[in-house]
Amino acid sequence: MQQFMAQLQQLLAAPGSGPVNWDLARQVAASQLSSTGDPAVTPFERHAVEEALRLADLWLEPSSALPSGIQTSVAWNRNEWIYRTLDVWRKLCDPVAGRMVTAMGDLVPPEARAQLGAMQSMVASLGGALFGGQLGQALGSLAAEVLSAGDIGLPLGPAGTAALVPANIREYGTGLELPEDEVRLYVALREAAHQRLFGHVPWLRGHVLTAVEMYAAGITVNREAIEEAMGRVDPTNPESMQALALEGIFTPEDTPAQKASLARLETALALIEGWVCHVVDSAAAERLPNVVKLAEAFRRRRAAGGPAEQTFAALVGLELRPRRLREAAALWAALTEHRGIAGRDALWGHPDLLPSGEDFADPQGFARAQLDLDELDSFDFTQPGGPKGGDRDGGDGPTGEGPDQPGEKNPS
């Protein structure tokens, strides 16, 4: 603890760039994991993860028009999950943290700012350290719960890298009282489905992250909560900062624009998670003995969010769970029934083709609506970029042979 506090004082004296002290966030998360445990990944677990992801990709072939998006299969321990996803967390959290640091500076009366001089930077350093410490605790908690790189629905890991966290999968499977290899394979199916979606829908990653950023832009800072929190900090006692809780400082603005931003974000998360659930359950239906129990457990888990997700939501004012998951899954099922696999997945060709939140209320009606086949005919799912020219052999999808040709699998 003394060593940690010494490092904390050093970080306050030499802050990094940006509103969040990410060096401190990493150290706090690592310190938390060292106290709770972070089992090393064994060679057997690495092999089991690679085999599960390979098999999952094979099972998904008949159920998805999108080809495999996996370039690398890896097994991570909890610290590796934090390290490998930190770049995306930086993009998500810096805008919110920047408003908190600004609000802390605004607490200083205007007439006193000129007298502070260089001390103004100390206020920013303190804000970055406060947020970094709290974010590190939240990430440490999340790292002890997540099962894979795409577990919370956001593209957190490096593109093309499918990753599972064996220690967390083992604990989760024990709670479900199901065989570990079956739970691992189901998680691998979900991870492989996420990789297909984000790997071959080139606009999706930016679309989701922009939706998060737009929602975050409407989050305001409760200055009274900051003032109260700052009043509990003892500058001579770094431990007082470690014990400080920032929950409740961020609140969404109750404006039409913010409500619209939230609706777009929730719709995007629900469509992604609903597609993954539908495709995975279709692929596993005749193969995994406990697929019904697994599917229901994961739906409940994603819809409710675990304790760590709730902590993160309280910290940055953003909930990462898809509220309309079941409705979205029903919509994708209706699309499969009426348009086939290729017709269903062709909707990912452009964001304007996707269902809106209003369409969730009538999935059958949306699925039966006429497609503009001219718009969809140029989309090639075998390429990461999208549109492709050339002759077509019918309107259901790209022509040609091979397992990656959606038109050959399930003509609508």
Side-chain angles (χ1 to χ4, degrees):
M1 180 61 72
Q2 290 179 345
Q3 181 182 4
F4 172 78
M5 290 304 160
Q7 291 172 336
L8 179 59
Q9 289 174 317
Q10 290 176 0
L11 289 165
L12 273 175
S17 60
V20 177
N21 192 322
W22 288 100
D23 288 335
L24 178 60
R26 282 194 296 266
Q27 291 190 25
V28 169
S31 176
Q32 182 167 322
L33 288 176
S34 66
S35 62
T36 58
D38 185 14
V41 178
T42 67
F44 171 81
E45 288 174 328
R46 292 189 189 280
H47 177 73
V49 165
E50 291 171 0
E51 286 299 301
L53 287 166
R54 182 190 61 80
L55 183 58
D57 239 0
L58 288 175
W59 284 9
L60 288 173
E61 280 298 310
S63 300
S64 169
L66 301 172
S68 172
I70 298 177
Q71 300 173 16
T72 306
S73 299
V74 294
W76 286 343
N77 63 14
R78 293 161 179 169
N79 264 299
E80 284 178 300
W81 179 86
I82 292 174
Y83 179 77
R84 298 296 182 184
T85 63
L86 210 57
D87 284 345
V88 176
W89 289 119
R90 187 190 299 268
K91 293 178 183 177
L92 296 177
C93 298
D94 272 354
V96 181
R99 283 193 291 283
M100 186 198 79
V101 172
T102 300
M104 290 179 64
D106 290 344
L107 292 177
V108 180
E111 59 274 12
R113 292 176 192 171
Q115 299 177 0
L116 281 177
M119 289 294 291
Q120 282 285 86
S121 63
M122 285 295 293
V123 174
S125 299
L126 180 59
L130 283 171
F131 198 91
Q134 294 288 294
L135 187 58
Q137 292 183 31
L139 290 177
S141 298
L142 268 176
E145 293 182 5
V146 293
L147 307 178
S148 67
D151 194 23
I152 64 174
L154 297 177
L156 296 176
T161 298
L164 307 188
V165 186
N168 295 349
I169 292 174
R170 182 168 56 251
E171 290 185 8
Y172 185 65
T174 300
L176 293 178
E177 298 181 345
L178 290 176
E180 181 181 346
D181 59 345
E182 194 170 344
V183 178
R184 182 194 304 114
L185 186 50
Y186 193 84
V187 176
L189 282 163
R190 289 176 51 81
E191 177 70 0
H194 273 107
Q195 292 295 331
R196 285 175 182 249
L197 199 53
F198 284 102
H200 293 281
V201 181
W203 55 266
L204 185 58
R205 177 180 293 261
H207 178 77
V208 173
L209 296 181
T210 298
V212 173
E213 290 170 4
M214 290 180 65
Y215 175 71
I219 294 175
T220 57
V221 177
N222 185 333
R223 292 185 58 183
E224 292 182 359
I226 285 188
E227 197 165 5
E228 180 182 350
M230 292 298 295
R232 297 195 296 270
V233 174
D234 179 0
T236 64
N237 178 19
E239 291 187 13
S240 67
M241 188 162 61
Q242 187 187 23
L244 189 64
L246 295 181
E247 285 90 344
I249 283 180
F250 302 103
T251 55
E253 285 186 358
D254 189 19
T255 63
Q258 181 66 351
K259 289 178 179 178
S261 295
L262 179 59
R264 282 193 295 270
L265 176 57
E266 289 185 339
T267 299
L269 292 176
L271 287 173
I272 291 168
E273 192 67 20
W275 184 87
V276 168
C277 286
H278 173 65
V279 169
V280 165
D281 293 345
S282 298
E286 304 298 328
R287 294 182 170 104
L288 289 181
N290 294 291
V291 64
V292 174
K293 184 175 180 180
L294 282 164
E296 183 59 25
F298 273 80
R299 279 183 172 82
R300 290 178 181 273
R301 180 177 180 271
R302 288 296 292 120
E309 281 193 58
Q310 293 164 11
T311 300
F312 186 82
L315 177 60
V316 300
L318 176 62
E319 292 184 344
L320 301 175
R321 61 181 187 264
R323 294 180 180 275
R324 307 182 70 182
L325 170 56
R326 293 181 188 274
E327 296 168 83
L331 195 151
W332 289 117
L335 283 164
T336 306
E337 176 187 353
H338 291 285
R339 304 187 186 186
I341 290 172
R344 176 201 70 200
D345 290 350
L347 295 185
W348 291 108
H350 192 279
D352 291 345
L353 298 176
L354 287 176
S356 66
E358 289 75 16
D359 295 320
F360 287 12
D362 184 14
Q364 293 293 329
F366 179 84
R368 286 194 297 264
Q370 288 295 317
L371 278 171
D372 186 345
L373 293 178
D374 291 336
E375 271 190 74
L376 302 182
D377 189 51
S378 64
F379 195 80
D380 177 20
F381 287 112
T382 67
Q383 302 297 325
K388 171 185 174 183
D391 295 330
R392 300 288 179 198
D393 185 15
D396 289 330
T399 61
E401 298 179 356
D404 292 339
Q405 302 300 331
E408 296 290 322
K409 289 182 198 173
N410 193 339
S412 54

